[in-house]
Amino acid sequence: MADKRDYYEVLGLQKGASDDEIKKAFRKLAMKYHPDKNPGDKEAEEKFKEINEAYAVLSDSEQKAKYDQFGHAGIDPNSFAGGFGGFGGFEDIFDMFSGAFGGGGFGGAFGGQQRRSNAPRKGNDIQKSMSITFEEAAFGCKKQIKLTKNIRCKTCGGTGAKPGTSKKTCPNCGGTGEIRTQQRTPLGVFQSVSPCPDCGGSGQINESPCTDCGGTGRVRDTVKITVNIPAGVDNDSVIPIRGQGEPGFNGGPDGDLYIVLSVKPHKLFERRGQDLWLEFPISFDQAALGDEIIVPTLEEKVSYKVPAGTQPGTVFRLKGKGIKSVRGGRKGDLYVKVSLEVPTKLNGKQKKAIQAMRDAVTDECYQKKSGFLRSIKEFFS
């Protein structure tokens, strides 16, 4: 385990980081190094595996506690092999001492409960990136994706045995998947546990393996999955789809599929939480005299009266014209920021018209300008 990097370092965190910090760091790095975004990049693929390995430990409270106390040794079942003459990890140590002290004493003291090698285990989770439009994120939608993953073999139903046959209980371990050996020492009789060599720890012998899956009970296939995207999601939102990961082991439940969303930017709107922002250019005469403008929203066009004397940078709020919260509740608002556009490429007639306006509109009509000019005069007087 000496060549492994610290899991906190892998995720760019300090030891003792919170669950939210761990989850946020994982999502960011997983998006960056995901194989879908880095096709053919072996280095990115290895980093992605390293990130997932770190997250698998640090997101599990029990595993994280062991890792925080003992480092990699705390989660390595073989880490104590050299120091205890071939005993296999924490569980075996508990078994060893339970034989010496009358059974169960050390297992109960440490909270340890041995995990049988053939016990049901949940299947692997899968993460998949998905890009959606701004409108799809705002209003929700249904998307269908193709996913290549391990699935249960249809020929054998996931048993791994040829149709018409079944696996047999391993005669060597009696179906436990483990071989227990005893060793006499001055402290008493110690007991160690190791996977059964005949069945590989499964507890069963497959004499007639399924020809389609080779006895594994699973095959690679491409499946179509419908994803329901709720209204209000945003960048890096994660949609869990239970049971759509890879098949479980030894009768355990299937893993889950996690869809990580990437939302494309909009040509007009900028999103800030549940609120939308829009920059709206108006002309000088509209700002000076006031005007009725037509403002676009995500759902419709609305009329808004710009008051006379509106200054550049003024922000108007249209209540309830933002984005719905993914957790329900009211919509956000639409904020319209006014920008003043100065005309360009004027012809002679247009220039004369503006010149006439300049002659007619004196500096006193401009409050900021006239005040600024007075300040300059006072400064040099």
Side-chain angles (χ1 to χ4, degrees), residues 28-79:
K28 181 179 178 181
L29 292 172
M31 286 286 292
K32 180 178 180 180
Y33 294 107
H34 197 283
D36 289 349
K37 288 192 173 183
N38 303 274
D41 189 335
K42 293 294 183 183
E43 183 178 351
E45 182 179 344
E46 290 304 315
K47 286 185 177 180
F48 183 73
K49 292 178 180 177
E50 186 180 40
I51 292 163
N52 275 279
E53 179 182 329
Y55 181 69
V57 172
L58 298 182
S59 62
D60 183 301
S61 57
E62 184 178 346
Q63 292 280 80
K64 182 175 181 288
K66 290 181 180 180
Y67 183 77
D68 287 347
Q69 186 173 3
F70 299 107
H72 289 294
I75 56 173
D76 180 12
N78 300 311
S79 61

Short mmCIF file of all heavy atoms in Angstrom, two decimals, residues 28-79:
data_model
loop_
_atom_site.label_atom_id
_atom_site.label_comp_id
_atom_site.label_asym_id
_atom_site.label_seq_id
_atom_site.Cartn_x
_atom_site.Cartn_y
_atom_site.Cartn_z
N LYS A 28 -16.41 17.34 -8.99
CA LYS A 28 -15.62 18.24 -9.83
C LYS A 28 -14.52 17.47 -10.55
O LYS A 28 -14.33 17.62 -11.77
CB LYS A 28 -15.01 19.34 -8.95
CG LYS A 28 -14.18 20.34 -9.72
CD LYS A 28 -13.64 21.42 -8.79
CE LYS A 28 -12.76 22.41 -9.56
NZ LYS A 28 -12.21 23.47 -8.66
N LEU A 29 -13.79 16.61 -9.84
CA LEU A 29 -12.68 15.87 -10.44
C LEU A 29 -13.19 14.77 -11.37
O LEU A 29 -12.59 14.50 -12.41
CB LEU A 29 -11.80 15.27 -9.34
CG LEU A 29 -11.01 16.29 -8.52
CD1 LEU A 29 -10.33 15.61 -7.34
CD2 LEU A 29 -9.98 16.99 -9.39
N ALA A 30 -14.30 14.12 -10.99
CA ALA A 30 -14.86 13.06 -11.83
C ALA A 30 -15.31 13.62 -13.17
O ALA A 30 -15.14 12.98 -14.21
CB ALA A 30 -16.03 12.38 -11.12
N MET A 31 -15.89 14.82 -13.15
CA MET A 31 -16.29 15.47 -14.40
C MET A 31 -15.06 15.77 -15.27
O MET A 31 -15.07 15.61 -16.48
CB MET A 31 -17.04 16.77 -14.09
CG MET A 31 -18.44 16.56 -13.56
SD MET A 31 -19.60 16.05 -14.84
CE MET A 31 -19.67 17.55 -15.81
N LYS A 32 -13.97 16.22 -14.61
CA LYS A 32 -12.77 16.62 -15.35
C LYS A 32 -12.08 15.43 -16.01
O LYS A 32 -11.64 15.52 -17.16
CB LYS A 32 -11.80 17.32 -14.39
CG LYS A 32 -10.51 17.79 -15.06
CD LYS A 32 -9.62 18.52 -14.06
CE LYS A 32 -8.32 18.98 -14.72
NZ LYS A 32 -7.45 19.69 -13.74
N TYR A 33 -12.00 14.30 -15.31
CA TYR A 33 -11.23 13.16 -15.81
C TYR A 33 -12.11 12.02 -16.32
O TYR A 33 -11.61 10.92 -16.57
CB TYR A 33 -10.31 12.63 -14.71
CG TYR A 33 -9.23 13.60 -14.32
CD1 TYR A 33 -9.28 14.28 -13.10
CD2 TYR A 33 -8.17 13.87 -15.17
CE1 TYR A 33 -8.29 15.19 -12.74
CE2 TYR A 33 -7.17 14.77 -14.82
CZ TYR A 33 -7.23 15.42 -13.61
OH TYR A 33 -6.24 16.31 -13.27
N HIS A 34 -13.41 12.26 -16.47
CA HIS A 34 -14.31 11.19 -16.93
C HIS A 34 -13.87 10.70 -18.31
O HIS A 34 -13.54 11.51 -19.20
CB HIS A 34 -15.75 11.69 -16.99
CG HIS A 34 -16.75 10.58 -17.05
ND1 HIS A 34 -17.00 9.88 -18.21
CD2 HIS A 34 -17.54 10.03 -16.11
CE1 HIS A 34 -17.91 8.96 -17.98
NE2 HIS A 34 -18.25 9.03 -16.71
N PRO A 35 -13.84 9.36 -18.55
CA PRO A 35 -13.42 8.81 -19.85
C PRO A 35 -14.20 9.36 -21.03
O PRO A 35 -13.66 9.49 -22.13
CB PRO A 35 -13.68 7.30 -19.67
CG PRO A 35 -13.57 7.07 -18.21
CD PRO A 35 -14.11 8.31 -17.56
N ASP A 36 -15.47 9.71 -20.82
CA ASP A 36 -16.26 10.27 -21.92
C ASP A 36 -15.72 11.61 -22.39
O ASP A 36 -15.88 11.99 -23.56
CB ASP A 36 -17.72 10.45 -21.49
CG ASP A 36 -18.44 9.11 -21.35
OD1 ASP A 36 -17.86 8.09 -21.78
OD2 ASP A 36 -19.56 9.08 -20.81
N LYS A 37 -15.09 12.36 -21.47
CA LYS A 37 -14.52 13.65 -21.83
C LYS A 37 -13.06 13.55 -22.25
O LYS A 37 -12.49 14.52 -22.75
CB LYS A 37 -14.65 14.63 -20.66
CG LYS A 37 -16.06 15.11 -20.40
CD LYS A 37 -16.05 16.28 -19.44
CE LYS A 37 -17.45 16.88 -19.30
NZ LYS A 37 -17.46 18.06 -18.41
N ASN A 38 -12.44 12.40 -22.01
CA ASN A 38 -11.03 12.20 -22.33
C ASN A 38 -10.82 10.88 -23.06
O ASN A 38 -10.11 9.99 -22.58
CB ASN A 38 -10.18 12.23 -21.05
CG ASN A 38 -10.35 13.50 -20.25
OD1 ASN A 38 -9.68 14.48 -20.49
ND2 ASN A 38 -11.25 13.46 -19.28
N PRO A 39 -11.46 10.72 -24.23
CA PRO A 39 -11.36 9.44 -24.95
C PRO A 39 -9.92 9.12 -25.33
O PRO A 39 -9.22 9.97 -25.89
CB PRO A 39 -12.24 9.67 -26.19
CG PRO A 39 -12.32 11.15 -26.34
CD PRO A 39 -12.26 11.71 -24.97
N GLY A 40 -9.48 7.91 -25.00
CA GLY A 40 -8.14 7.47 -25.36
C GLY A 40 -7.04 7.99 -24.47
O GLY A 40 -5.87 7.66 -24.67
N ASP A 41 -7.37 8.78 -23.46
CA ASP A 41 -6.35 9.35 -22.57
C ASP A 41 -6.16 8.40 -21.38
O ASP A 41 -6.95 8.37 -20.44
CB ASP A 41 -6.81 10.73 -22.08
CG ASP A 41 -5.71 11.47 -21.32
OD1 ASP A 41 -4.82 10.80 -20.76
OD2 ASP A 41 -5.76 12.71 -21.27
N LYS A 42 -5.08 7.62 -21.43
CA LYS A 42 -4.83 6.62 -20.38
C LYS A 42 -4.56 7.27 -19.03
O LYS A 42 -4.95 6.75 -17.99
CB LYS A 42 -3.64 5.73 -20.78
CG LYS A 42 -3.92 4.84 -21.97
CD LYS A 42 -4.99 3.81 -21.63
CE LYS A 42 -5.24 2.85 -22.78
NZ LYS A 42 -6.33 1.89 -22.49
N GLU A 43 -3.86 8.42 -19.05
CA GLU A 43 -3.55 9.10 -17.79
C GLU A 43 -4.83 9.57 -17.12
O GLU A 43 -5.00 9.42 -15.90
CB GLU A 43 -2.63 10.28 -18.06
CG GLU A 43 -2.19 11.00 -16.79
CD GLU A 43 -1.24 12.16 -17.07
OE1 GLU A 43 -0.80 12.29 -18.23
OE2 GLU A 43 -0.93 12.91 -16.12
N ALA A 44 -5.75 10.14 -17.90
CA ALA A 44 -7.03 10.59 -17.35
C ALA A 44 -7.84 9.41 -16.83
O ALA A 44 -8.51 9.50 -15.80
CB ALA A 44 -7.83 11.35 -18.41
N GLU A 45 -7.75 8.29 -17.54
CA GLU A 45 -8.48 7.08 -17.11
C GLU A 45 -7.97 6.59 -15.76
O GLU A 45 -8.76 6.22 -14.88
CB GLU A 45 -8.31 5.99 -18.17
CG GLU A 45 -9.07 4.71 -17.85
CD GLU A 45 -8.90 3.64 -18.93
OE1 GLU A 45 -8.46 4.00 -20.04
OE2 GLU A 45 -9.19 2.46 -18.64
N GLU A 46 -6.63 6.60 -15.58
CA GLU A 46 -6.06 6.15 -14.31
C GLU A 46 -6.43 7.11 -13.17
O GLU A 46 -6.72 6.68 -12.06
CB GLU A 46 -4.53 6.04 -14.44
CG GLU A 46 -4.05 4.91 -15.32
CD GLU A 46 -4.59 3.55 -14.87
OE1 GLU A 46 -4.55 3.28 -13.65
OE2 GLU A 46 -5.04 2.77 -15.73
N LYS A 47 -6.43 8.41 -13.47
CA LYS A 47 -6.81 9.39 -12.45
C LYS A 47 -8.27 9.22 -12.07
O LYS A 47 -8.65 9.35 -10.91
CB LYS A 47 -6.56 10.81 -12.96
CG LYS A 47 -5.08 11.19 -12.98
CD LYS A 47 -4.90 12.65 -13.37
CE LYS A 47 -3.43 13.03 -13.33
NZ LYS A 47 -3.20 14.44 -13.70
N PHE A 48 -9.12 8.91 -13.06
CA PHE A 48 -10.54 8.71 -12.81
C PHE A 48 -10.73 7.51 -11.87
O PHE A 48 -11.54 7.55 -10.94
CB PHE A 48 -11.27 8.48 -14.12
CG PHE A 48 -12.76 8.34 -13.98
CD1 PHE A 48 -13.56 9.43 -13.69
CD2 PHE A 48 -13.38 7.10 -14.13
CE1 PHE A 48 -14.94 9.31 -13.55
CE2 PHE A 48 -14.75 6.97 -13.99
CZ PHE A 48 -15.53 8.07 -13.70
N LYS A 49 -9.97 6.43 -12.11
CA LYS A 49 -10.05 5.25 -11.25
C LYS A 49 -9.58 5.59 -9.83
O LYS A 49 -10.18 5.16 -8.85
CB LYS A 49 -9.21 4.11 -11.83
CG LYS A 49 -9.74 3.53 -13.13
CD LYS A 49 -8.83 2.44 -13.65
CE LYS A 49 -9.35 1.85 -14.96
NZ LYS A 49 -8.43 0.82 -15.50
N GLU A 50 -8.50 6.37 -9.75
CA GLU A 50 -7.95 6.75 -8.45
C GLU A 50 -8.95 7.61 -7.67
O GLU A 50 -9.14 7.44 -6.47
CB GLU A 50 -6.64 7.52 -8.65
CG GLU A 50 -5.90 7.85 -7.36
CD GLU A 50 -4.62 8.62 -7.61
OE1 GLU A 50 -4.62 9.50 -8.50
OE2 GLU A 50 -3.62 8.35 -6.95
N ILE A 51 -9.62 8.53 -8.37
CA ILE A 51 -10.62 9.41 -7.76
C ILE A 51 -11.79 8.59 -7.22
O ILE A 51 -12.27 8.79 -6.11
CB ILE A 51 -11.12 10.45 -8.77
CG1 ILE A 51 -9.99 11.43 -9.11
CG2 ILE A 51 -12.33 11.21 -8.25
CD1 ILE A 51 -10.24 12.21 -10.37
N ASN A 52 -12.27 7.63 -8.03
CA ASN A 52 -13.39 6.78 -7.61
C ASN A 52 -13.01 5.91 -6.41
O ASN A 52 -13.82 5.69 -5.51
CB ASN A 52 -13.85 5.91 -8.78
CG ASN A 52 -14.83 6.62 -9.69
OD1 ASN A 52 -16.01 6.69 -9.41
ND2 ASN A 52 -14.32 7.17 -10.78
N GLU A 53 -11.77 5.41 -6.41
CA GLU A 53 -11.31 4.59 -5.29
C GLU A 53 -11.27 5.41 -4.00
O GLU A 53 -11.72 4.95 -2.95
CB GLU A 53 -9.91 4.04 -5.60
CG GLU A 53 -9.33 3.19 -4.49
CD GLU A 53 -7.93 2.70 -4.80
OE1 GLU A 53 -7.62 2.50 -5.99
OE2 GLU A 53 -7.15 2.50 -3.85
N ALA A 54 -10.76 6.64 -4.10
CA ALA A 54 -10.70 7.51 -2.93
C ALA A 54 -12.10 7.84 -2.42
O ALA A 54 -12.36 7.81 -1.21
CB ALA A 54 -9.93 8.79 -3.27
N TYR A 55 -13.00 8.14 -3.34
CA TYR A 55 -14.36 8.52 -2.94
C TYR A 55 -15.10 7.33 -2.32
O TYR A 55 -15.87 7.49 -1.38
CB TYR A 55 -15.13 9.04 -4.15
CG TYR A 55 -16.53 9.49 -3.83
CD1 TYR A 55 -16.76 10.62 -3.05
CD2 TYR A 55 -17.64 8.78 -4.29
CE1 TYR A 55 -18.04 11.04 -2.73
CE2 TYR A 55 -18.93 9.19 -3.98
CZ TYR A 55 -19.12 10.32 -3.20
OH TYR A 55 -20.39 10.72 -2.90
N ALA A 56 -14.86 6.12 -2.85
CA ALA A 56 -15.53 4.93 -2.33
C ALA A 56 -15.21 4.73 -0.85
O ALA A 56 -16.05 4.29 -0.07
CB ALA A 56 -15.12 3.70 -3.13
N VAL A 57 -13.99 5.08 -0.45
CA VAL A 57 -13.59 4.92 0.95
C VAL A 57 -14.07 6.10 1.80
O VAL A 57 -14.70 5.92 2.84
CB VAL A 57 -12.05 4.79 1.05
CG1 VAL A 57 -11.60 4.83 2.52
CG2 VAL A 57 -11.59 3.48 0.41
N LEU A 58 -13.81 7.32 1.34
CA LEU A 58 -14.11 8.50 2.16
C LEU A 58 -15.60 8.81 2.25
O LEU A 58 -16.03 9.55 3.14
CB LEU A 58 -13.36 9.72 1.61
CG LEU A 58 -11.83 9.62 1.62
CD1 LEU A 58 -11.21 10.90 1.11
CD2 LEU A 58 -11.30 9.28 3.01
N SER A 59 -16.41 8.28 1.33
CA SER A 59 -17.86 8.52 1.40
C SER A 59 -18.56 7.48 2.27
O SER A 59 -19.74 7.62 2.57
CB SER A 59 -18.47 8.49 -0.01
OG SER A 59 -18.29 7.21 -0.61
N ASP A 60 -17.83 6.45 2.70
CA ASP A 60 -18.38 5.42 3.58
C ASP A 60 -17.91 5.74 5.00
O ASP A 60 -16.70 5.72 5.28
CB ASP A 60 -17.89 4.05 3.13
CG ASP A 60 -18.49 2.91 3.96
OD1 ASP A 60 -18.29 2.90 5.19
OD2 ASP A 60 -19.14 2.03 3.37
N SER A 61 -18.82 6.05 5.91
CA SER A 61 -18.45 6.51 7.24
C SER A 61 -17.57 5.50 7.99
O SER A 61 -16.61 5.88 8.67
CB SER A 61 -19.71 6.82 8.07
OG SER A 61 -20.55 5.68 8.15
N GLU A 62 -17.89 4.20 7.84
CA GLU A 62 -17.11 3.17 8.54
C GLU A 62 -15.70 3.07 7.96
O GLU A 62 -14.71 3.02 8.70
CB GLU A 62 -17.83 1.83 8.43
CG GLU A 62 -17.15 0.70 9.20
CD GLU A 62 -17.92 -0.61 9.11
OE1 GLU A 62 -19.09 -0.58 8.69
OE2 GLU A 62 -17.34 -1.65 9.46
N GLN A 63 -15.62 3.04 6.62
CA GLN A 63 -14.31 2.96 5.97
C GLN A 63 -13.49 4.22 6.25
O GLN A 63 -12.28 4.14 6.48
CB GLN A 63 -14.51 2.79 4.45
CG GLN A 63 -15.10 1.46 4.04
CD GLN A 63 -14.05 0.37 4.01
OE1 GLN A 63 -13.68 -0.18 5.05
NE2 GLN A 63 -13.56 0.07 2.84
N LYS A 64 -14.15 5.36 6.22
CA LYS A 64 -13.45 6.63 6.46
C LYS A 64 -12.86 6.68 7.86
O LYS A 64 -11.74 7.16 8.06
CB LYS A 64 -14.43 7.79 6.26
CG LYS A 64 -13.83 9.18 6.43
CD LYS A 64 -14.87 10.23 6.07
CE LYS A 64 -14.32 11.64 6.20
NZ LYS A 64 -14.12 12.04 7.59
N ALA A 65 -13.61 6.18 8.85
CA ALA A 65 -13.11 6.18 10.22
C ALA A 65 -11.85 5.32 10.34
O ALA A 65 -10.88 5.70 11.01
CB ALA A 65 -14.20 5.67 11.17
N LYS A 66 -11.87 4.16 9.70
CA LYS A 66 -10.68 3.28 9.72
C LYS A 66 -9.50 3.95 9.02
O LYS A 66 -8.37 3.89 9.48
CB LYS A 66 -11.00 1.95 9.04
CG LYS A 66 -11.96 1.06 9.82
CD LYS A 66 -12.18 -0.25 9.07
CE LYS A 66 -13.13 -1.17 9.82
NZ LYS A 66 -13.35 -2.45 9.08
N TYR A 67 -9.81 4.60 7.86
CA TYR A 67 -8.74 5.23 7.10
C TYR A 67 -8.14 6.41 7.87
O TYR A 67 -6.93 6.61 7.88
CB TYR A 67 -9.27 5.70 5.74
CG TYR A 67 -8.21 6.30 4.86
CD1 TYR A 67 -7.30 5.51 4.19
CD2 TYR A 67 -8.10 7.69 4.72
CE1 TYR A 67 -6.30 6.05 3.40
CE2 TYR A 67 -7.11 8.25 3.92
CZ TYR A 67 -6.22 7.42 3.27
OH TYR A 67 -5.22 7.97 2.48
N ASP A 68 -8.99 7.20 8.52
CA ASP A 68 -8.50 8.34 9.28
C ASP A 68 -7.59 7.91 10.43
O ASP A 68 -6.65 8.62 10.80
CB ASP A 68 -9.67 9.15 9.84
CG ASP A 68 -10.40 9.96 8.77
OD1 ASP A 68 -9.84 10.07 7.66
OD2 ASP A 68 -11.50 10.44 9.04
N GLN A 69 -7.87 6.73 11.00
CA GLN A 69 -7.08 6.27 12.15
C GLN A 69 -5.82 5.52 11.74
O GLN A 69 -4.75 5.72 12.31
CB GLN A 69 -7.95 5.37 13.04
CG GLN A 69 -7.25 4.95 14.33
CD GLN A 69 -8.18 4.20 15.26
OE1 GLN A 69 -9.32 3.94 14.93
NE2 GLN A 69 -7.69 3.88 16.44
N PHE A 70 -5.93 4.66 10.71
CA PHE A 70 -4.81 3.79 10.36
C PHE A 70 -4.24 4.03 8.97
O PHE A 70 -3.27 3.38 8.58
CB PHE A 70 -5.25 2.32 10.45
CG PHE A 70 -5.71 1.90 11.82
CD1 PHE A 70 -7.05 1.69 12.07
CD2 PHE A 70 -4.81 1.74 12.85
CE1 PHE A 70 -7.50 1.30 13.33
CE2 PHE A 70 -5.24 1.35 14.11
CZ PHE A 70 -6.58 1.13 14.36
N GLY A 71 -4.85 4.93 8.19
CA GLY A 71 -4.39 5.13 6.82
C GLY A 71 -4.81 3.96 5.94
O GLY A 71 -5.81 3.29 6.20
N HIS A 72 -4.02 3.69 4.90
CA HIS A 72 -4.36 2.60 3.98
C HIS A 72 -4.41 1.24 4.68
O HIS A 72 -5.15 0.35 4.28
CB HIS A 72 -3.36 2.55 2.82
CG HIS A 72 -3.49 3.70 1.87
ND1 HIS A 72 -4.60 3.88 1.08
CD2 HIS A 72 -2.66 4.74 1.59
CE1 HIS A 72 -4.45 4.97 0.34
NE2 HIS A 72 -3.28 5.52 0.64
N ALA A 73 -3.61 1.09 5.74
CA ALA A 73 -3.60 -0.18 6.46
C ALA A 73 -4.96 -0.49 7.08
O ALA A 73 -5.35 -1.65 7.22
CB ALA A 73 -2.53 -0.17 7.54
N GLY A 74 -5.69 0.56 7.43
CA GLY A 74 -6.98 0.36 8.07
C GLY A 74 -8.03 -0.27 7.18
O GLY A 74 -9.00 -0.84 7.67
N ILE A 75 -7.84 -0.15 5.85
CA ILE A 75 -8.83 -0.70 4.92
C ILE A 75 -8.25 -1.84 4.09
O ILE A 75 -8.90 -2.34 3.18
CB ILE A 75 -9.37 0.40 3.98
CG1 ILE A 75 -8.21 1.06 3.25
CG2 ILE A 75 -10.17 1.42 4.75
CD1 ILE A 75 -8.67 2.04 2.19
N ASP A 76 -7.03 -2.23 4.40
CA ASP A 76 -6.39 -3.34 3.68
C ASP A 76 -6.52 -4.61 4.52
O ASP A 76 -5.94 -4.71 5.59
CB ASP A 76 -4.91 -3.03 3.45
CG ASP A 76 -4.19 -4.15 2.73
OD1 ASP A 76 -4.88 -5.05 2.20
OD2 ASP A 76 -2.94 -4.14 2.68
N PRO A 77 -7.28 -5.60 4.04
CA PRO A 77 -7.48 -6.82 4.83
C PRO A 77 -6.21 -7.61 5.05
O PRO A 77 -6.15 -8.48 5.91
CB PRO A 77 -8.50 -7.62 4.01
CG PRO A 77 -8.36 -7.10 2.63
CD PRO A 77 -8.01 -5.65 2.76
N ASN A 78 -5.15 -7.34 4.29
CA ASN A 78 -3.90 -8.09 4.43
C ASN A 78 -2.79 -7.28 5.09
O ASN A 78 -1.64 -7.69 5.10
CB ASN A 78 -3.41 -8.54 3.04
CG ASN A 78 -4.42 -9.44 2.36
OD1 ASN A 78 -4.91 -10.38 2.95
ND2 ASN A 78 -4.74 -9.11 1.11
N SER A 79 -3.14 -6.13 5.64
CA SER A 79 -2.10 -5.24 6.12
C SER A 79 -1.35 -5.78 7.33
O SER A 79 -0.25 -5.35 7.61
CB SER A 79 -2.70 -3.88 6.46
OG SER A 79 -3.67 -4.01 7.48
#
